[in-house]
Amino acid sequence: MTWIAFLIGGALSGAVIAYAMDFRTRKGLLQGALGGIIAAILYMIT
Amino acid sequence: MAHEIVGILSLLVFVFTVLGPLIMVGGRRLIPLPLQSLLVVGALVNIVMTVVAIWLDGGSLSEMLSLGSAVGSNVILLPIMAMAGGFLVAGALEGSGGFAALRVVINKMRGTPLGMAGTLVFIAQFSTIFAMPCGRIAAAALLPVIITLGPEGVRLINKKQMVVLVTALAVNAAASCGPSQIGGIGQIGEGFLQQLGFLTSSQEFGIMIGTAFTALFISLFVTRFDLDEKIRLTEGRQLAVSSVGAAASTDTALAEKHDEEVIARKFKAPLVGYISLIIFLVALVGAVFGLFGKTPITTTLLVATVVIMLIARLSIRQVISGIILHPITALVAGFLMAGSLAVSGGFKSLSQVLVWLSEFKVAGVGLGVAGMIALFVQLETIMPMPCGRILAAALLPIVVAMGPATGWMPNASGLLTYNQLAIVLAAFIVNAAASCGPSPIGGIGTISEGMVRSDIGYLRNAQSYGIMAAMTPLAALVMRFLVLTHNPFRLENLLIFFGLLFGLFVFNLGMIKLVNPATFKKRRTPTQEKEKSLATWVAFLLGGVFSGMVITFTLFWPDQASGFASSGPLLVYLLQGAVGGAIAGALLLLT
C-alpha cells in the first residue's frame, strides 16, 4: 500500500514540479513524472 | 505558589527568546544576538528564577544544587552523536570527491529518458532521498550543479526555472533532516514512541508532495515584474532561436556543443570519489535495513568514514571539516532550554495554556482540541528558526505530554491516545524540520535567495505554503491510513487515503490557479501589488483551512478496528480544525 502511494504521489509531484518549471508539453510532463517516480522509489529504498 | 509564577515567567522568557530575534524594528533585529546564545542565556535566567522560587517556597540547598544536573540530563547525546557521525561521513565524501562523483551522475541523467525535466525533478527531490542530519549538506553539494546549469552558467535552465528549482530544493533540503535515519529530528520523536523508523515514510511522503506545491506556488506567484525587478540574477541568452534561420540554428548547435564541453570540464570526479560514494550508499542502506546486525547507525557511519579515509588517504582535518557546528549547537541550546523549562515548571504551564486554549470559547464557539492541534503542529514554521532542532528539542516533550501517561511521562494530560500522538508527532516533526527553509534568520532558503539575488524573505511564502498545505497534513494522512492502519489491509483505508490525497491536489491546484496574481494583469503596478498580497492571503487562509481539516480528520475519523474510537461529532472537530488551520495560515503570513 505504501509503495503504491509513493509511486502515484511521486508521479503526481514530479509532473507538478515539471509544470511549475514551464515544461508543459506532454513529453516534459511525462519526463517530470518519471523523475518523480524514480525519486519515490529511492525514497522507499533508502 | 512561587513555583507556579516562575513556571509562567519561564514560559514568557522562552517565548521572548524565540520571537525576539524575529522582530524587526526600524530595519534592524530587536535582539541582534545569535539565537543559540539567546537560548542559553534564557535557560540561565530560568534556572536563577527557579532557585529563587525554591528559596521562597522553603526548599533545601541540595534541591537548588541539583538543578544543574537536572537541566544537563536533558541534553540527549544520541541524536548529537548520530548527527556528528553524519557530518563526518559527509566530510569524508567531500574530501574524497564523492560529492563530485554525485554531480557527474546527476549531470549524466540529462542524457537518459529522464531528459532535463526529469533530471530537475530528481535534483529538487534529491536531498530527502539521501537524507543527511542537516539539509545544508545536500544543498551545498547540489547548488554547484544548479549554478552551472543556470543563466549565469551554461544557461540550460532560464531565470524562472532556476528560481523555482532553488526554492523547491531549499524546502526539500530543509525538511530532509526530519526523516533522516542518521541523526534526524524524527528520531527524537521515534525515541518517545519507542519505535525506530516509525515516522519516516509519513514525513517523506509529505516532503515529496510539499516540494511540488512549493514549486507550484513560487512558479505562479513570481511574475514577470518580479523577475525583472526583484530577482537580480542576470537572464542570459535564449536558446530557442531556430525561427531566425539556418545560420542561427548552426550557431545554436555550436553554442550547445560548447556548453556541453564546459559542463563536462566542470563536472569531473576521481575514481576514488565513485568508490567512496558506493561505500556510503552501502553503509546507509545497510544501516537502515539492519544488514549489519544490531550495529548502531553511528557506528556503521564511522566505519564507512574510516574506510573512505583509508581508500582516499584523507587526513582527519579533511573529515572534520565536514562538521557543521550550527545544528549541533542548536540542538544543545534547545535541550538546555527544554531542561530549564522542565525544572522551572514551564512545561506544566504550557500544557495548561494548551488545555486552556482547547477549552476557550467565545459565544459558545472555541478551538477545541482539534483546532488547538491544527494550530500547534504548524507552530515551528510560524516561528521559523535557523535550525528546526532549537524549538523541536524544547517543544517535543510538550507534544508527548498531550499523550497518554506512561512511566516516563507520568504527568501527561491524556488529551490524545497513543495512535493520535503518533499522528501529531509525524505532522509536528516534519513541520519543525522544514521550518529552517523559510527562516529569514539564516535558514536554508536564504542561501537560495542569495543565489538568485532576491531580497531576503522573497522565497519564504512559497516554502511556508508547501509546508503548511502539503507536508504537514500529508504526514498526518500517511501516518493514519498507511502506517497505523495498514495491517490488516482494508480497502476502505486505501480509498480514504487516495480520496484525500487527490482532494488535496485538486483543491490546491484549483485554488492557487484561481488566486494566481499573474492572471490579473501582465504588468504590475502598486495596485496590483495589493492584489498579489490579497491573493497570498486568500491562498494561505484557504490552504490553512483545508490543511487543518485534513489533520483533524486523520485524528478523529472513527475506526474501532484500528483503535480510533468515536469521541464526538466529526463535523464539529472538522470545523474546529478549519479555524485552527486558518489561524495558522494567518500567523504564517504575519510573523
Side-chain angles (χ1 to χ4, degrees):
Chain A
M1 233 160 83
T2 311
W3 269 96
I4 296 169
F6 267 79
L7 291 176
I8 293 175
L12 283 172
S13 64
V16 168
I17 294 173
Y19 178 86
M21 285 195 284
D22 290 343
F23 292 101
R24 297 184 182 181
T25 61
R26 189 180 296 171
K27 184 185 171 191
L29 293 174
L30 279 174
Q31 285 180 335
L34 185 60
I37 289 172
I38 291 172
I41 292 169
L42 290 171
Y43 267 118
M44 288 297 288
I45 292 173
T46 56
Chain B
M1 183 62 189
H3 255 107
E4 286 173 7
I5 294 169
V6 165
I8 295 166
L9 286 176
S10 65
L11 197 58
L12 291 175
V13 168
F14 171 59
V15 172
F16 180 73
T17 53
V18 167
L19 285 182
L22 291 175
I23 299 170
M24 305 290 280
V25 178
R28 288 185 170 192
R29 282 163 60 190
L30 179 65
I31 305 172
L33 277 176
L35 202 63
Q36 284 92 324
S37 312
L38 205 56
L39 277 170
V40 174
V41 171
L44 289 174
V45 171
N46 286 347
I47 293 168
V48 170
M49 287 196 302
T50 311
V51 169
V52 173
I54 292 171
W55 176 63
L56 288 174
D57 285 348
S60 63
L61 185 63
S62 63
E63 203 179 337
M64 293 177 196
L65 292 175
S66 66
L67 279 179
S69 60
V71 173
S73 66
N74 205 70
V75 180
I76 307 165
L77 279 180
L78 184 63
I80 298 173
M81 294 294 289
M83 200 194 325
F87 283 139
L88 285 177
V89 80
L93 281 173
E94 184 61 49
S96 64
F99 283 135
L102 183 67
R103 287 194 280 272
V104 175
V105 172
I106 288 177
N107 183 45
K108 294 278 182 198
M109 287 170 69
R110 289 189 296 119
T112 68
L114 275 178
M116 181 57 96
T119 304
L120 295 182
V121 167
F122 187 79
I123 292 174
Q125 298 280 10
F126 180 84
S127 306
T128 306
I129 292 172
F130 298 108
M132 294 283 170
C134 177
R136 286 173 175 85
I137 300 170
L142 288 174
L143 288 180
V145 180
I146 301 173
I147 291 169
T148 308
L149 297 179
E152 291 182 350
V154 295
R155 297 174 287 269
L156 284 176
I157 55 175
N158 62 32
K159 192 171 173 179
K160 185 187 171 187
Q161 286 170 328
M162 184 154 165
V163 172
V164 174
L165 184 58
V166 296
T167 314
L169 175 86
V171 81
N172 190 281
S176 66
C177 68
S180 171
Q181 287 298 297
I182 48 176
I185 299 179
Q187 287 187 315
I188 308 173
E190 288 161 2
F192 281 122
L193 294 168
Q194 299 179 344
Q195 290 197 64
L196 193 64
F198 196 43
L199 305 173
T200 306
S201 59
S202 55
Q203 292 182 75
E204 285 180 340
F205 193 87
I207 294 168
M208 187 169 70
I209 309 291
T211 303
F213 281 16
T214 298
L216 186 69
F217 190 98
I218 192 72
S219 170
L220 295 177
F221 275 70
V222 62
T223 56
R224 187 70 246 171
F225 175 80
D226 284 4
L227 277 177
D228 292 342
E229 304 292 330
K230 296 187 178 176
I231 311 285
R232 288 175 281 280
L233 185 78
T234 51
E235 188 79 67
R237 68 171 153 73
Q238 298 296 312
L239 281 175
V241 289
S242 56
S243 60
V244 294
S249 295
T250 310
D251 289 346
T252 307
L254 284 172
E256 283 179 6
K257 191 182 172 197
H258 175 258
D259 286 347
E260 290 298 335
E261 285 170 0
V262 171
I263 294 172
R265 273 202 304 276
K266 284 200 172 185
F267 293 152
K268 275 186 178 173
L271 179 64
V272 74
Y274 293 97
I275 296 171
S276 62
L277 190 61
I278 291 169
I279 292 170
F280 165 67
L281 292 177
V282 169
L284 186 68
V285 173
V288 171
F289 285 98
L291 300 180
F292 311 121
K294 291 186 176 177
T295 315
I297 288 175
T298 312
T299 310
T300 309
L301 289 176
L302 283 177
V303 170
T305 306
V306 171
V307 173
I308 294 171
M309 277 179 77
L310 291 173
I311 291 173
R313 296 182 182 180
L314 297 178
S315 65
I316 290 178
R317 179 176 291 194
Q318 280 175 293
V319 176
I320 289 177
S321 67
I323 294 180
I324 306 174
L325 279 178
H326 190 276
I328 295 178
T329 55
L331 199 56
V332 175
F335 278 142
L336 282 177
M337 174 52 88
S340 77
L341 287 172
V343 297
S344 66
F347 283 149
K348 199 177 166 190
S349 300
L350 187 54
S351 290
Q352 286 167 346
V353 168
L354 291 174
V355 171
W356 173 83
L357 197 62
S358 66
E359 291 172 350
F360 178 75
K361 286 180 181 172
V362 177
V365 181
L367 274 180
V369 175
M372 183 270 287
I373 288 172
L375 175 59
F376 186 80
V377 293
Q378 308 276 6
L379 196 63
E380 288 234 13
T381 307
I382 292 170
M383 300 190 290
M385 300 288 117
C387 178
R389 285 175 175 85
I390 298 170
L391 277 185
L395 288 177
L396 274 171
I398 295 170
V399 182
V400 177
M402 291 184 204
T406 59
W408 42 272
M409 187 66 83
N411 295 324
S413 62
L415 277 174
L416 306 168
T417 64
Y418 178 88
N419 281 351
Q420 287 173 324
L421 177 65
I423 294 169
V424 173
L425 277 173
F428 179 84
I429 288 171
V430 78
N431 190 284
S435 66
C436 72
S439 171
I441 47 174
I444 294 180
T446 56
I447 305 172
S448 297
E449 284 156 1
M451 277 184 64
V452 298
R453 294 202 282 287
S454 70
D455 294 336
I456 292 294
Y458 181 77
L459 305 176
R460 185 180 167 187
N461 280 351
Q463 295 177 71
S464 298
Y465 185 84
I467 297 166
M468 173 196 71
M471 279 187 201
T472 310
L474 281 171
L477 193 63
V478 171
M479 200 66 208
R480 167 68 198 264
F481 291 104
L482 294 185
V483 178
L484 287 169
T485 58
H486 74 289
N487 194 15
F489 172 77
R490 299 222 326 273
L491 186 63
E492 179 192 324
N493 285 334
L494 195 64
L495 291 176
I496 292 174
F497 173 80
F498 279 113
L500 283 174
L501 176 65
F502 286 118
L504 203 71
F505 262 94
V506 170
F507 175 81
N508 279 282
L509 288 171
M511 192 262 299
I512 294 179
K513 193 78 183 161
L514 187 72
V515 298
N516 172 17
T519 59
F520 293 140
K521 277 173 194 172
K522 284 183 182 170
R523 292 292 300 172
R524 191 147 299 283
T525 63
T527 312
Q528 288 169 333
E529 280 295 330
K530 286 182 185 169
E531 287 173 344
K532 183 181 177 186
S533 173
L534 179 67
T536 310
W537 270 96
V538 172
F540 269 75
L541 288 176
L542 290 181
V545 165
F546 199 81
S547 169
M549 290 174 80
V550 170
I551 293 167
T552 306
F553 184 84
T554 62
L555 288 171
F556 296 103
W557 171 252
D559 180 7
Q560 200 70 44
S562 304
F564 287 88
S566 175
S567 53
L570 184 64
L571 188 61
V572 174
Y573 286 138
L574 289 176
L575 287 173
Q576 289 174 339
V579 175
I583 294 173
L587 289 174
L588 275 167
L589 280 179
L590 287 174
T591 55

